[in-house]
């Protein structure tokens, strides 16, 4: 993680570098320590500590009734979590991999998202569904999907995705504490990214739903989240040489969407590029571009552009670098922002 | 390494794979070949007559409730009603077998079970009237929302029962599903979870012969639906679903077993849906009148009534009394359902999230403005017309 992002974490100079995976594990541990109703369940979360080791040590510390290895059945895992939440527990479900969460879609869409609404507020479901998502780790097929658009399209769910180590901790704590269900998307290629975040003195827990400006700038705004934040930060640094001073907004939460922070930034800069890994067609970028256009039309110097993954099934790992939006593609988009109209 | 080099290969003796160990004896898990019956058998002598009379009163009330709800669809007071006429014994027994602290997980056809458990009939019907998804507080009545997707409420029952046990509460969950629902993935996942976790759950399958129009033979190749239990490591029980005393007894044993911490049971009740799938369906397209008539001779209300009158526990006056009580319930339901529900459009935004997102705040403000404009328009029109 870049220095700028680390600073945005609110970390201190004394802190030792820690990884996002460690921060997530610490968030689970702290939540479980503070609240005996928090239960972790999923495939491999117990003895193994999760395939990404996020839940490492939890079963040992809290017992296998609080951190439970379940049968391998995603609908069953999430469905059981619904019943547990109905009885007053706060389940945190691990879905292991993005594409493996699909069997649980019906439970998520028909029950998790709707139970509060169906029962007239009588039965909220405080469930956190942790989904490691996205590519860039050389995973074979069904291990690299970016599924955020599916979740965003479902009223009743919060959709959260951290991009920094500090946010991984703070946002997961906030998600578990939320009385509403949260789909917590963990950018798996950032699991091992480190920053000077201190597990001893974790950053403050912020309410979910607030975007943050990671890098202030005046020429254009890059709007992004999760795995694409480091790409955008790098692009912004590289753009300085071209004479562009780019602002980078990290959404952190896709639902609720922080229109205010995004619109304020675009009104300042007059230009915007939305960057994400998931497919462009029907993807989050279209929604975000529309919202910007509705709010900032008279401030815009150029159409809002999108830099996204291609509209293809996630490619085999040896080809994924051609699919994933990288620094060059971001800079190309910035170059297309009708700068000539400005001069 | 070649085959010859393998230890023990020289003797050419097949050895079991290392993981092999004797499996649980499946015999105690298997259902009896004949559905269990109480009425008309010697067993009935051991059943408390008070229970039989209570079941009878509830069956009569339940039959009348089904008829009234169906009539309400014809009057446009209910959007739809999936009748449980013919299946009242299952509905009533499921409700009566539970303690107050237990939970019921009904499907969309199980309104009657919720009512028999004590839920206000109007509150039980709001989903089908179309004014609210769930007309009651599930926690207050320990009745989960009527579930429209098939079998998806079964894992909820497992999770709730599991959570209750973790908290040290003596609670059993009874989950209801139809024969069609047993083909759904959630059915299998729920049964597997329940057995692995030894959760205090009872699964009641009402096998009424058809999933809308699809007969059981096209639904499953299993010897019976109760046989599916053995694959998960729980007992399967087959019961005559029109014999209220038998269903009550089998479910009662399953509930007691769950309460003792011995895990889940799958109960298949053989019954028949006398009406169409819902009022919107034409059952004559997929089943013969002769089949329906054969089941009419095995009517749950008649079966129990005959037993009680034969044994001198019920006379014509008693039957009349039960019918009058049912009639009073129907009349009250009719009256109350004839009043238009009061709807508040702004409620659309109230219970999506604990706190409205800025997106929902904007949308609710837009609807508020629309409603105000509508209201002003009506006021002006009224003034102009004066």
């Amino acid at each position: 993680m870049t220095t700028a992002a680390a600073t945005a974490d609110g970390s201190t100079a004394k802190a030792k570098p820690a990884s996002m995976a460690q921060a997530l594990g610490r968030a689970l541990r702290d939540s479980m320590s503070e609240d005996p109703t928090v239960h972790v369940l999923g495939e491999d979360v117990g003895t193994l500590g999760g395939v990404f080791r996020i839940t490492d040590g939890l079963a040992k510390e809290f017992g296998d009734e609080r951190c439970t290895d379940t049968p391998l059945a995603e609908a069953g895992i999430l469905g059981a979590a619904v019943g547990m939440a109905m009885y007053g527990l706060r389940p945190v479900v691990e879905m292991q991999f993005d594409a493996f969460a699909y069997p649980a879609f019906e439970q998520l869409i028909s029950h998790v998202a709707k139970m509060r609404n169906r029962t007239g507020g009588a039965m909220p479901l405080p469930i956190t569904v942790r989904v490691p998502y996205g590519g860039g780790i050389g995973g074979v097929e069904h291990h690299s999907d970016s599924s955020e658009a599916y979740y965003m399209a479902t009223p009743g769910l919060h959709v959260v995705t951290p991009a920094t180590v500090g946010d991984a901790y703070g946002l997961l704590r906030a998600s578990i504490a939320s009385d509403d269900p949260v789909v917590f998307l963990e950018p798996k290629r950032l699991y091992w990214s480190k920053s000077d975040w201190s597990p001893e003195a974790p950053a403050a827990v912020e309410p979910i739903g607030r975007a943050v400006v990671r890098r202030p700038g005046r020429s254009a705004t890059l709007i992004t989240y999760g795995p694409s934040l480091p790409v955008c930060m790098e692009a912004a640094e590289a753009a300085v040489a071209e004479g562009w001073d780019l602002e980078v907004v990290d959404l952190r939460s896709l639902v609720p969407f922080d229109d205010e922070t995004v619109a304020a930034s675009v009104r300042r800069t007059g230009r915007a590029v939305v960057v994400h890994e998931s497919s462009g067609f029907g993807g989050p970028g279209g929604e975000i571009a529309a919202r910007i256009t509705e709010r900032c039309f008279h401030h815009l110097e150029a159409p809002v552009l999108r830099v996204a993954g291609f509209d293809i099934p996630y490619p085999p790992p040896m080809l994924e670098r051609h699919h994933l939006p990288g620094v060059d593609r971001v800079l190309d988009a910035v170059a297309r922002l009708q700068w000539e109209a400005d001069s | 390494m070649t085959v010859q080099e393998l230890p023990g290969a020289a003797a050419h003796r097949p050895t079991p794979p290392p993981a092999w160990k004797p499996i649980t004896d499946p015999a105690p898990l298997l259902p009896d070949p004949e559905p269990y019956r109480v009425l008309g058998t010697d067993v009935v002598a051991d059943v408390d007559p008070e229970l039989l009379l209570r079941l009878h009163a509830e069956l009569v009330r339940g039959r009348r409730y089904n008829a009234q709800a169906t009539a309400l669809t014809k009057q446009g007071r209910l959007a739809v009603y999936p009748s449980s006429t013919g299946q009242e014994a299952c509905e009533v027994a499921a409700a009566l077998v539970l303690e107050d602290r237990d939970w019921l997980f009904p499907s969309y056809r199980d309104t009657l079970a919720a009512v028999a458990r004590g839920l206000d009939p109007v509150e039980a019907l709001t989903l089908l009237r179309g004014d609210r998804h769930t007309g009651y507080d599930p926690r207050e009545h320990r009745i989960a929302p009527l579930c429209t997707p098939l079998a998806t409420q079964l894992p909820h029952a497992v999770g709730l029962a599991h959570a209750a046990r973790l908290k040290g509460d003596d609670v059993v969950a009874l989950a209801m599903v139809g024969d069609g629902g047993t083909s759904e993935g959630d059915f299998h996942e729920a049964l597997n979870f329940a057995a692995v976790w030894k959760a205090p759950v009872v699964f009641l399958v009402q096998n009424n012969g058809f999933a809308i129009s699809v007969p059981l033979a096209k639904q499953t190749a299993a010897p019976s639906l109760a046989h599916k239990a053995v694959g998960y490591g729980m007992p399967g029980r087959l019961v005559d679903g029109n014999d209220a005393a038998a269903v009550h007894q089998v479910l009662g044993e399953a509930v007691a077993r769950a309460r003792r911490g011995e895990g889940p049971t799958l109960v298949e009740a053989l019954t028949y849906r006398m009406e169409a799938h819902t009022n919107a369906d034409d059952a004559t397209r997929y089943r013969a009148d002769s089949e329906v008539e054969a089941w009419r001779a095995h009517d749950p209300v008649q079966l129990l009534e005959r037993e009680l009158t034969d044994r001198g526990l019920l006379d014509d006056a008693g039957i009349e009394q039960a019918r009058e009580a049912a009639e009073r319930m129907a009349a009250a339901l009719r009256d109350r359902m004839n009043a238009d529900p009061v709807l508040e459009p702004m409620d659309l935004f109230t219970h999506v999230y604990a706190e409205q997102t800025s997106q929902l705040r904007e949308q609710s403000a837009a609807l508020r403005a629309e409603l105000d404009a509508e209201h002003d328009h009506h006021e002006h029109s009224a003034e102009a017309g004066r």
Side-chain angles (χ1 to χ4, degrees):
Chain A
M1 188 65 32
T2 63
T3 315
T7 307
D9 281 358
S11 57
T12 63
K14 283 176 197 163
K16 279 186 209 153
S19 71
M20 181 181 280
Q22 285 173 306
L24 291 166
R26 177 59 193 250
L28 290 170
R29 201 177 125 212
D30 288 355
S31 295
M32 291 175 87
S33 297
E34 281 171 25
D35 182 352
T37 67
V38 175
H39 283 240
V40 170
L41 65 157
E43 162 77 0
D44 297 313
V45 297
T47 310
L48 182 67
V51 288
F52 295 107
R53 304 292 182 273
I54 308 295
T55 57
D56 194 20
L58 296 180
K60 209 168 185 185
E61 187 172 347
F62 299 99
D64 58 9
E65 286 187 345
R66 295 275 311 276
C67 181
T68 308
D69 274 332
T70 62
L72 209 176
E74 288 76 12
I77 295 168
L78 190 52
V82 169
M84 291 164 74
M86 286 170 85
Y87 205 78
L89 299 182
R90 270 180 198 276
V92 182
V93 165
E94 178 173 308
M95 280 299 172
Q96 201 160 98
F97 277 96
D98 31 58
F100 298 166
Y102 299 152
F105 245 81
E106 187 182 16
Q107 284 294 340
L108 189 74
I109 273 71
S110 294
H111 294 295
V112 175
K114 292 177 182 161
M115 193 66 86
R116 175 189 286 278
N117 190 256
R118 289 172 72 207
T119 60
M123 197 166 257
L125 294 180
I127 299 174
T128 303
V129 186
R130 293 181 39 240
V131 187
Y133 83 120
I137 62 159
V140 295
E141 72 169 337
H142 307 299
H143 287 75
S144 300
D145 283 19
S146 294
S147 30
E148 58 267 36
Y150 307 138
Y151 304 120
M152 285 173 71
T154 305
L157 300 176
H158 289 308
V159 184
V160 171
T161 177
T164 69
V165 177
D167 270 359
Y169 178 85
L171 290 174
L172 185 52
R173 291 297 308 271
S175 299
I176 295 170
S178 168
D179 286 334
D180 284 316
V182 179
V183 176
F184 191 87
L185 298 166
E186 300 176 0
K188 60 174 109 68
R189 77 174 138 121
L190 301 186
Y191 270 151
W192 304 281
S193 71
K194 291 194 170 186
S195 81
D196 295 341
W197 171 83
S198 165
E200 277 67 46
V205 176
E206 279 203 57
I208 55 180
R210 305 249 173 88
V212 63
V213 176
R214 294 286 180 203
R215 183 192 192 281
R218 286 170 295 119
S219 315
T221 304
L222 302 179
I223 296 151
T224 191
Y225 55 86
S228 295
L229 177 67
V231 175
C232 289
M233 294 298 283
E234 205 184 322
E237 293 308 320
V240 174
E242 307 288 330
W244 294 316
D245 180 19
L246 301 181
E247 182 149 307
V248 179
V249 172
D250 174 5
L251 292 172
R252 306 200 287 190
S253 165
L254 296 169
V255 182
F257 186 82
D258 187 351
D259 282 302
E260 207 179 315
T261 301
V262 171
S265 173
V266 177
R267 282 179 191 142
R268 275 195 300 274
T269 63
R271 293 177 170 89
V273 180
V274 189
V275 183
H276 59 65
E277 253 182 59
S278 72
S279 300
F281 190 86
E287 174 66 30
I288 295 166
R291 302 191 79 82
I292 292 171
T293 308
E294 285 166 0
R295 279 163 185 76
C296 313
F297 185 70
H298 295 292
H299 296 79
L300 285 173
E301 308 280 346
V304 181
L305 298 183
R306 289 168 292 166
V307 177
F310 296 131
D311 299 330
I312 56 170
Y314 199 87
M318 291 172 83
L319 288 170
E320 68 180 340
R321 70 189 174 88
H322 301 292
H323 168 71
L324 293 171
V327 171
D328 289 347
R329 221 172 269 169
V330 174
L331 291 175
D332 284 350
V334 173
R336 281 190 279 121
L337 283 172
Q338 300 185 2
W339 297 102
E340 63 280 3
D342 206 25
S343 54
Chain B
M1 196 192 286
T2 66
V3 173
Q4 281 71 28
E5 288 168 325
L6 281 168
H12 300 289
R13 240 190 353 258
T15 55
W20 187 87
K21 59 183 183 217
I23 53 170
T24 312
D25 177 10
L29 306 180
L30 288 169
D32 290 332
E34 285 298 314
Y36 182 72
R37 299 188 61 190
V38 167
L39 301 180
T41 73
D42 295 344
V43 187
V44 76
D46 302 331
V47 184
D48 178 8
E50 285 302 314
L51 173 66
L52 293 176
L53 286 167
R54 171 126 196 255
L55 286 170
H56 174 259
E58 288 294 336
L59 284 186
V60 172
R61 213 166 76 100
R63 176 61 52 87
R64 186 66 190 87
Y65 176 83
N66 272 323
Q68 185 57 58
T70 302
L72 287 166
T73 63
K74 291 175 182 151
Q75 294 154 14
R77 283 293 174 186
L78 282 182
V80 65
Y81 185 69
S83 169
S84 61
T85 296
Q87 303 179 213
E88 289 94 343
C90 299
E91 299 284 312
V92 161
L96 297 194
V97 84
L98 296 177
E99 303 286 340
D100 280 352
R101 62 186 180 282
D102 295 333
W103 274 75
L104 181 72
F105 285 78
S107 82
Y108 60 90
R109 197 182 297 286
D110 304 318
T111 327
L112 179 55
V115 172
R117 186 164 163 76
L119 186 65
D120 180 327
V122 173
E123 289 183 9
L125 285 172
T126 58
L127 169 78
L128 302 166
R129 177 162 67 180
D131 56 318
R132 296 173 70 183
H133 294 315
T134 305
Y136 54 92
D137 180 345
R139 276 192 236 272
E140 188 190 335
H141 301 277
R142 265 87 57 205
I143 301 172
L146 294 167
C147 192
T148 315
L150 293 187
T152 54
Q153 83 280 23
L154 305 185
H156 305 171
V158 177
L160 182 136
H162 175 66
R165 202 171 50 140
L166 291 183
K167 283 192 174 184
D169 296 345
D170 179 28
V171 167
V172 173
L174 191 155
M176 304 174 78
V177 67
D179 42 302
T182 66
S183 298
E184 293 281 1
D186 280 59
F187 171 83
H188 301 279
E189 297 193 14
L191 262 67
N192 191 44
F193 267 69
V196 170
W197 284 355
K198 271 200 164 192
V201 188
V202 177
F203 300 99
L204 170 60
V205 179
Q206 290 181 71
N207 177 0
N208 66 16
F210 291 89
I212 303 190
S213 69
V214 179
L216 190 71
K218 290 188 180 178
Q219 197 68 243
T220 180
S224 78
L225 298 174
H227 274 83
K228 289 176 186 272
V230 69
Y232 303 102
M234 72 175 80
R237 297 288 173 250
L238 189 57
V239 62
D240 181 340
N242 286 18
D243 179 336
V247 182
H248 189 273
Q249 196 169 323
V250 169
L251 288 178
E253 281 161 15
V255 166
R257 189 173 169 273
R259 224 186 279 291
R260 287 196 303 270
E262 291 168 28
T265 305
L266 172 66
V267 177
E268 176 187 2
L270 286 171
T271 184
Y272 198 77
R273 188 184 78 211
M274 296 306 288
E275 307 290 336
H277 166 61
T278 70
N279 50 300
D281 164 44
D282 176 8
T284 61
R285 292 175 72 100
Y286 53 82
R287 64 187 193 187
D289 288 348
S290 57
E291 183 179 295
V292 182
E293 285 315 307
W295 276 94
R296 212 178 289 285
H298 196 64
D299 180 83
V301 186
Q302 296 303 321
L303 280 182
L304 186 54
E305 217 160 83
R306 215 176 301 139
E307 182 77 49
L308 286 166
T309 47
D310 283 357
R311 296 177 59 208
L313 292 166
L314 188 68
D315 56 12
D316 287 351
I319 293 171
E320 194 48 36
Q321 211 180 328
R323 294 209 174 129
E324 276 169 13
E327 206 50 55
R328 281 194 299 278
M329 177 275 302
L333 176 60
R334 212 163 43 230
D335 287 349
R336 293 174 64 206
M337 291 295 286
N338 274 331
D340 288 325
V342 181
L343 301 174
E344 170 48 71
M346 295 310 290
D347 281 351
L348 286 175
F349 300 100
T350 314
H351 301 298
V352 185
Y353 297 100
E355 204 180 307
Q356 282 184 16
T357 60
S358 56
Q359 289 75 39
L360 286 184
R361 279 198 300 275
E362 277 176 20
Q363 290 163 26
S364 65
L367 179 63
R368 178 79 271 164
E370 250 178 60
L371 293 169
D372 289 346
E374 236 173 64
H375 179 76
D376 290 348
H377 176 75
H378 287 312
E379 296 266 289
H380 285 303
S381 309
E383 269 172 39
R386 229 178 268 146

